[in-house]
Amino acid sequence: MSTITDKNKIEGVLTRGVDTIYPNKKRLEEKMRRGERLTLYFGVDPTGFDLHIGHSVPLRKLAQFQQLGHRVILLIGDFTGMIGDPSGKDKTRKPLTREQVLKNAKDYKRQAAKILDFDNKTNPIEIKFNSSWLAKLTLKEVVELAANFTVQQMIERDMFERRIKEHQPISLHEFLYPLMQGYDSVAMNVDMEIGGSDQTFNMLAGRTLMDKILHKEKFVLSVPLLTDSRGVKIGKTEGNIIAICAEPNDLYGKIMALGDDVIIKTFEYCTDVPMEKIHQMEKDLKTGLNPKDYKARLAYEIVKIYSGEKAAQKAGEEFKKQFAEKKTPTEIPEVTINGKATLLEIIKSIGLASSGSESKRLIEQKGIKINGKPIVSWKDKINFKIGDILQRGRKFKKIKKII
């Protein structure tokens, strides 16, 4: 099929939300302007149940290439997910079983469909699993792949250098991860790989193998990481996940909780708001305008993408009602409690705390309320009634039944 060669559209795809293009942007742009149809992919290891807003950055880039007519593959790393990508990690990841990986990946296609068009009749997104080829590699073939790299190349990676200085162990299988990800490119015979900038080493390993095994140039397009105000990546491992399939109110609230200094880049990476408007927002913020208004616009735009305009409007209204006007939200999850349980056990059981000790700490900090009033002591015996509302911050639970 033919591809779109419009100069301005190609420039937008290769500029907005792009960190670095290897070997360079000019060469890739020339191929696209000539109408060459590229095969490209983004790989995601199913190390958790949810695709999150950090994943949305490369996924949106995939969607843009699909819209230009290029062949796009979403690769599920069901094999590499068991190894554990060492990128950016100060400790070895805990290995996952194949059962865990497949369970995590079960819902990935439905989630990714929020961004990618799998049902496009002329150019659908393809989905592949890298166990299809990696599980079949013989030891001889793995050794041959390893011969393309040196130990020095591996230990020059910044996270390995840090571990060596801090006397932290480096497992041998972590050296094999870039080989496995690199071989994905060879197995699928791609022209380009897209991934986060923290994946650059692994993606360039694929560029090396493509050259040595298939004698073909592979482009690498890295996208910037979505980080919070402290520079911490927003994702599964870091524990600050913002799932793209979260309930609209929850998604809206989590965007509102982001640091003010990530507003502009989240607009650029994660929304379709034109760049000229984003640049104007950036100027406005520098003049001292209230960032909360722009963050509300950001939350609205993101919820609209994943849940629709009506849901975004409603989520905004609920957030304003709950926080600005300090009112109870309209819809509150209902729970059943055990009337014989302790107060600490009840708070944990309904999901307002992860443990009894956290329940105790929250109460001591007056962080748990019942019907709008803080609970004074964790030792209190409270006679709960049906309809009582328990609250922690923006989390509300309404007692439906007492057993």
Side-chain angles (χ1 to χ4, degrees):
M1 66 174 290
S2 61
T3 62
I4 294 173
T5 58
D6 180 89
K7 180 180 179 180
N8 292 330
K9 290 183 179 179
I10 292 173
E11 175 66 17
V13 170
L14 299 185
T15 303
R16 179 169 178 171
V18 173
D19 184 78
T20 308
I21 297 174
Y22 300 88
N24 57 65
K25 174 187 170 186
K26 181 180 179 182
R27 198 182 301 181
L28 177 58
E29 185 176 11
E30 288 172 349
K31 289 178 77 74
M32 295 174 70
R33 290 288 305 281
R34 288 197 298 267
E36 295 186 34
R37 188 170 187 246
L38 305 175
T39 295
L40 60 135
Y41 84 101
F42 165 61
V44 56
D45 284 351
T47 52
F49 290 111
D50 298 309
L51 294 178
H52 54 75
I53 199 168
H55 289 128
S56 76
V57 184
L59 287 173
R60 284 170 59 81
K61 191 58 61 180
L62 279 190
Q64 292 164 14
F65 275 93
Q66 180 191 27
Q67 289 158 12
L68 292 182
H70 298 283
R71 181 188 174 213
V72 173
I73 300 168
L74 175 63
L75 178 66
I76 306 297
D78 60 327
F79 189 93
T80 45
M82 293 187 291
I83 301 174
D85 180 14
S87 297
K89 304 303 170 192
D90 293 326
K91 294 182 180 179
T92 302
R93 286 179 182 264
K94 184 179 178 181
L96 298 176
T97 65
R98 177 155 181 78
E99 290 73 22
Q100 287 173 309
V101 167
L102 291 177
K103 184 177 179 182
N104 289 342
K106 186 177 179 181
D107 202 34
Y108 272 22
K109 182 177 179 180
R110 180 190 67 82
Q111 295 178 58
K114 293 276 187 179
I115 299 171
L116 303 176
D117 186 359
F118 291 96
D119 298 322
N120 188 294
K121 292 183 179 179
T122 57
N123 187 30
I125 298 284
E126 299 175 41
I127 189 164
K128 295 180 182 289
F129 294 81
N130 64 9
S131 63
S132 300
W133 48 86
L134 292 180
K136 297 175 183 177
L137 288 175
T138 65
L139 179 59
K140 176 177 179 293
E141 290 170 323
V142 173
V143 171
E144 289 172 348
L145 287 177
N148 291 292
F149 303 93
T150 66
V151 171
Q152 287 87 343
Q153 283 176 289
M154 295 297 176
I155 62 176
E156 283 174 0
R157 298 188 74 179
D158 56 355
M159 89 285 292
F160 288 156
E161 285 184 340
R162 286 198 303 272
R163 286 204 217 165
I164 290 170
K165 288 178 182 178
E166 296 170 6
H167 305 289
Q168 292 288 337
I170 302 171
S171 296
L172 187 58
H173 74 273
E174 294 181 280
F175 281 174
L176 296 178
Y177 189 95
L179 275 65
M180 300 299 101
Q181 182 171 331
Y183 188 71
D184 288 341
S185 296
V186 175
M188 294 185 292
N189 192 14
V190 299
D191 300 294
M192 182 167 69
E193 180 178 2
I194 292 175
S197 57
D198 61 339
Q199 292 292 308
T200 299
F201 186 93
N202 298 334
M203 294 191 290
L204 291 179
R207 179 173 159 81
T208 297
L209 292 179
M210 286 292 291
D211 178 53
K212 293 189 175 183
I213 297 174
L214 297 182
H215 310 295
K216 176 180 176 180
E217 180 171 57
K218 170 197 163 184
F219 289 89
V220 168
L221 188 154
S222 69
V223 297
L225 301 180
L226 186 61
T227 57
D228 67 13
S229 57
R230 297 167 297 155
V232 177
K233 186 172 73 168
I234 297 172
K236 297 185 294 290
T237 308
E238 290 71 19
N240 55 358
I241 185 171
I242 302 178
I244 63 174
C245 286
E247 291 296 319
N249 290 354
D250 188 38
L251 181 55
Y252 192 101
K254 287 186 174 181
I255 297 299
M256 291 298 293
L258 289 173
D260 294 343
D261 56 346
V262 301
I263 295 173
I264 297 303
K265 63 181 177 182
T266 310
F267 264 114
E268 179 183 351
Y269 306 162
C270 303
T271 78
D272 298 313
V273 174
M275 283 306 300
E276 55 268 25
K277 291 187 177 180
I278 296 175
H279 291 319
Q280 184 58 53
M281 291 184 212
E282 188 171 19
K283 291 178 183 177
D284 292 344
L285 287 171
K286 288 179 179 177
T287 63
L289 292 182
N290 190 347
K292 186 180 289 187
D293 295 334
Y294 292 96
K295 202 185 294 184
R297 166 82 186 276
L298 174 63
Y300 171 84
E301 292 291 340
I302 290 178
V303 175
K304 183 176 73 171
I305 290 171
Y306 300 113
S307 298
E309 191 169 0
K310 287 185 179 179
Q313 291 173 343
K314 187 175 180 181
E317 291 166 0
E318 285 291 333
F319 187 89
K320 182 179 178 182
K321 179 180 178 182
Q322 185 177 339
F323 291 95
E325 300 173 4
K326 307 224 180 268
K327 294 181 180 178
T328 304
T330 304
E331 297 178 5
I332 301 175
E334 295 182 321
V335 294
T336 298
I337 66 168
N338 183 347
K340 296 180 181 179
T342 67
L343 178 58
L344 299 183
E345 290 170 340
I346 289 172
I347 292 170
K348 176 188 173 185
S349 70
I350 62 175
L352 292 183
S354 59
S355 64
S357 59
E358 186 184 22
S359 299
K360 181 179 177 181
R361 176 179 60 78
L362 288 168
I363 290 173
E364 289 174 342
Q365 295 173 349
K366 294 186 171 48
I368 300 292
K369 297 180 180 180
I370 178 169
N371 299 325
K373 295 181 180 180
I375 296 176
V376 177
S377 171
W378 59 271
K379 297 178 181 178
D380 287 352
K381 173 64 177 175
I382 298 176
N383 296 315
F384 290 106
K385 304 183 295 296
I386 292 174
D388 283 346
I389 295 175
L390 285 161
Q391 173 188 355
R392 174 191 175 184
R394 66 173 178 267
K395 282 189 176 181
F396 291 80
K397 303 290 182 177
K398 186 175 183 179
I399 298 176
K400 178 183 179 182
K401 185 178 180 181
I402 302 175
I403 58 174

